[in-house]
Amino acid sequence: MSNFIFISPNFPTNYWQFCRELKNNGMNVLGIGDQPYDELKPELKASLNEYYKVGSLENYDEVYRAVAFFAFKYGRIDWLESNNEYWLERDAALRTDFHITSGFQTEDMPRIKYKSKMKEYYQKAGIATARYHMVDDFEGCKKFIDEVGYPVVVKPDNGVGASDTHKLSDDEELRAFLTYKSAHHADVSYIMEEFVHAEVNSYDAIIDGSGNPIFEAGNVSPMSIMDIVNNDDNSIYYIIKDLPDDTRAAGRAVVKSFGVKSRFVHFEFFRMTEDQTSMGQKGQIVALEVNMRPCGGFTPDMINFARSTNVYKIWADMIAFGGTDMPVGEHYYCPFAGRRDGKHFVYSHEQLMQKYQANMRMVDRIPDALSGAMGNQMYVATFSTFEEMEQFYADVLAVTDADNDTVQKELSEVLALGEPAATTALTRKPNLSPAVKPTTAVTKTTTRAVTKTNSRKK
């Protein structure tokens, strides 16, 4: 029996499903986390053969001793993963120290964690990248800005998501950022990049032990995660119904360039929304960053809904058997809408649930740890057409404020960028005005996550 150590199996809260599928495949699933065992979800407890609680996952010695204990009790450890961006370097260090060869080692970390190092491998794959400069002093940064122009984006070279990302539009903001960095993060290396006018398109795939994709999907983030975090805005993104050919080709090229094997990956690309001389023309794919783990939050569940399948099982089958016979069914658009508390929305939760009850797949409060980038109240649904999804977003995000017409116009414009072949059709639509409010009595619907992938009514 193969031994699989899963680091932090309790977070994100949906990751117990990875453990369940591993155990169903006959693997010995051993969890290490810092949450008391009695507080684990019953589903997670049932998916683990044993759980080792540490005082803190940040304490390498404690986690090392936990792995050593499992190795002593169960024998050789075959796999060790967290599937979590935050722990990638920790995972690699543990694999290196315990000679677990089924994943990235410490020596592999620079090219997959440092944004400046990624660029070389993107370029080997033939994909354009934004010009960059490692932040030093005002004079050095200004020389780079004189070349690329304002605005520029600065972020930690080794960072997670959009955390601590800043858009600088003039010399005053540059000076303010350098003062902030000196005072709070003097030892952190920051990268400065030219601003790319684009939306984010992703390549989400499960790669087998030979470096070949056995499952592929993708999502579109028409609103910048950086802006969502910095502006405390609502959040929207969606699983695209069919992966565009250029995204698929770029994703596969990056898999080869980075030497990816036996992983669930989430690669992010810019799709340019206007021509930029240094990178190419509107619609072109430009590199953003690689993430050698599944797409974050509840996105794996959204992919399941969008493809009528189970990516947790596909991944676990790849681990246990090298491949899968899990079928992929009918394709849908699967939008995520994250409402931000404190805004005045036109439609109540109950009204949305009444109108879209046949489409809703997950409805829940978003954990505080994810709310910065995802909002506070989430709605996940499926639709057969882009226009149906478009109206869903218009309804969920409609506000009573005087500027709602402007908000709806901006929403229409960003959604129209989503698919290379869809833009022309969308521009013929006159508006995205919210639907008429329901006039009948509203029945409250329990808010809960729906985990079955076949729950769509035919």
Side-chain angles (χ1 to χ4, degrees):
M1 180 181 290
S2 295
N3 294 316
F4 191 110
I5 290 181
F6 206 111
I7 305 293
S8 188
N10 55 302
F11 186 86
T13 54
N14 48 328
Y15 274 24
W16 66 269
Q17 296 177 80
F18 285 119
C19 298
R20 176 187 63 188
E21 300 303 336
L22 289 171
K23 190 173 183 181
N24 286 343
N25 283 344
M27 302 193 77
N28 205 33
V29 187
L30 310 168
I32 299 176
D34 53 16
Q35 185 176 13
Y37 179 78
D38 290 343
E39 296 178 8
L40 298 180
K41 296 177 66 166
E43 299 93 335
L44 176 57
K45 290 180 181 178
S47 302
L48 297 174
N49 293 86
E50 188 166 352
Y51 180 76
Y52 190 113
K53 181 192 175 301
V54 296
S56 171
L57 286 171
E58 300 282 359
N59 187 322
Y60 187 78
D61 288 342
E62 275 195 280
V63 180
Y64 181 96
R65 287 196 294 271
V67 176
F69 170 78
F70 282 146
F72 174 78
K73 183 172 182 179
Y74 295 99
R76 178 180 176 81
I77 305 301
D78 301 286
W79 297 84
L80 184 148
E81 295 284 357
S82 65
N83 279 345
N84 192 310
E85 183 75 23
Y86 189 80
W87 302 117
L88 283 184
E89 290 171 293
R90 172 64 47 82
D91 295 347
L94 290 167
R95 288 192 210 101
T96 301
D97 286 347
F98 285 91
H99 307 291
I100 304 168
T101 59
S102 54
F104 287 119
Q105 307 293 300
T106 296
E107 65 181 14
D108 298 313
M109 285 298 101
R111 75 177 188 275
I112 66 174
K113 285 293 293 178
Y114 289 85
K115 295 171 177 61
S116 59
K117 306 289 186 185
M118 295 176 188
K119 292 181 182 289
E120 174 187 351
Y121 293 88
Y122 272 124
Q123 290 162 359
K124 287 180 179 178
I127 301 170
T129 61
R131 290 172 289 181
Y132 76 100
H133 170 75
M134 299 310 296
V135 172
D136 44 15
D137 54 19
F138 181 85
E139 288 72 23
C141 292
K142 193 64 172 65
K143 182 178 179 181
F144 172 73
I145 292 168
D146 287 342
E147 178 184 350
V148 303
Y150 281 115
V152 293
V153 174
V154 290
K155 50 193 171 184
D157 194 25
N158 181 8
V160 178
S163 176
D164 201 19
T165 299
H166 308 261
K167 180 180 177 181
L168 309 180
S169 300
D170 53 40
D171 288 356
E172 182 179 353
E173 291 183 358
L174 172 60
R175 288 191 175 92
F177 168 74
L178 292 173
T179 299
Y180 157 82
K181 177 184 181 306
S182 177
H184 301 285
H185 301 290
D187 297 331
V188 176
S189 176
Y190 283 77
I191 185 173
M192 175 180 288
E193 295 178 296
E194 64 180 314
F195 186 81
V196 182
H197 298 274
E199 64 177 12
V200 175
N201 286 207
S202 78
Y203 173 79
D204 299 283
I206 298 172
I207 311 300
D208 69 15
S210 299
N212 299 311
I214 61 173
F215 176 85
E216 297 171 300
N219 69 58
V220 171
S221 299
M223 300 172 66
S224 164
I225 298 298
M226 174 181 67
D227 291 340
I228 291 169
V229 172
N230 292 340
N231 301 333
D232 205 29
D233 206 349
N234 299 315
S235 173
I236 68 171
Y237 71 99
Y238 59 92
I239 308 301
I240 203 162
K241 188 173 182 177
D242 293 297
L243 189 65
D245 290 341
D246 57 353
T247 306
R248 186 189 310 276
R252 291 182 177 184
V254 171
V255 166
K256 299 300 182 186
S257 181
F258 279 81
V260 181
K261 295 180 180 179
S262 304
R263 297 200 72 77
F264 201 143
V265 299
H266 173 66
F267 297 160
E268 294 178 341
F269 300 96
F270 287 123
R271 185 177 296 281
M272 296 170 59
T273 55
E274 59 183 67
D275 295 350
Q276 286 186 249
T277 304
S278 63
M279 283 170 285
Q281 297 180 330
K282 178 180 178 179
Q284 183 176 325
I285 290 289
V286 174
L288 176 51
E289 65 182 49
V290 296
N291 297 283
M292 299 297 180
R293 42 77 180 171
C295 35
F298 301 98
T299 313
D301 300 281
M302 292 172 60
I303 294 175
N304 285 347
F305 302 139
R307 294 292 183 273
S308 307
T309 192
N310 184 342
V311 294
Y312 300 103
K313 176 171 173 52
I314 294 173
W315 174 84
D317 287 353
M318 177 274 294
I319 295 292
F321 312 122
T324 185
D325 58 4
M326 181 69 199
V328 175
E330 187 173 353
H331 291 199
Y332 301 100
Y333 289 98
C334 184
F336 170 97
R339 279 180 163 187
R340 186 73 61 184
D341 289 349
K343 295 183 181 294
H344 303 102
F345 295 102
V346 171
Y347 299 110
S348 69
H349 167 76
E350 289 77 17
Q351 287 172 320
L352 290 174
M353 292 302 299
Q354 180 190 38
K355 178 175 181 180
Y356 291 106
Q357 59 183 318
N359 305 91
M360 289 293 188
R361 298 293 169 261
M362 296 181 74
V363 180
D364 212 340
R365 295 292 293 177
I366 297 172
D368 290 342
L370 302 175
S371 63
M374 301 183 73
N376 304 105
Q377 174 69 42
M378 74 170 186
Y379 299 91
V380 171
T382 53
F383 298 94
S384 295
T385 69
F386 194 97
E387 288 74 19
E388 290 175 301
M389 179 177 72
E390 205 175 15
Q391 188 61 60
F392 168 76
Y393 274 132
D395 290 344
V396 173
L397 301 181
V399 292
T400 60
D401 303 23
D403 65 350
N404 186 48
D405 287 345
T406 300
V407 172
Q408 293 293 322
K409 182 175 183 295
E410 291 175 350
L411 176 63
S412 179
E413 289 171 350
V414 297
L415 286 174
L417 300 171
E419 294 182 88
T423 305
T424 301
L426 289 174
T427 56
R428 291 199 294 265
K429 294 190 66 179
N431 58 57
L432 265 178
S433 57
V436 177
K437 285 186 180 181
T439 56
T440 56
V442 175
T443 302
K444 290 190 176 182
T445 305
T446 303
T447 60
R448 61 184 179 87
V450 181
T451 56
K452 293 183 179 180
T453 59
N454 61 349
S455 58
R456 182 178 175 89
K457 295 182 180 179
K458 300 296 183 182

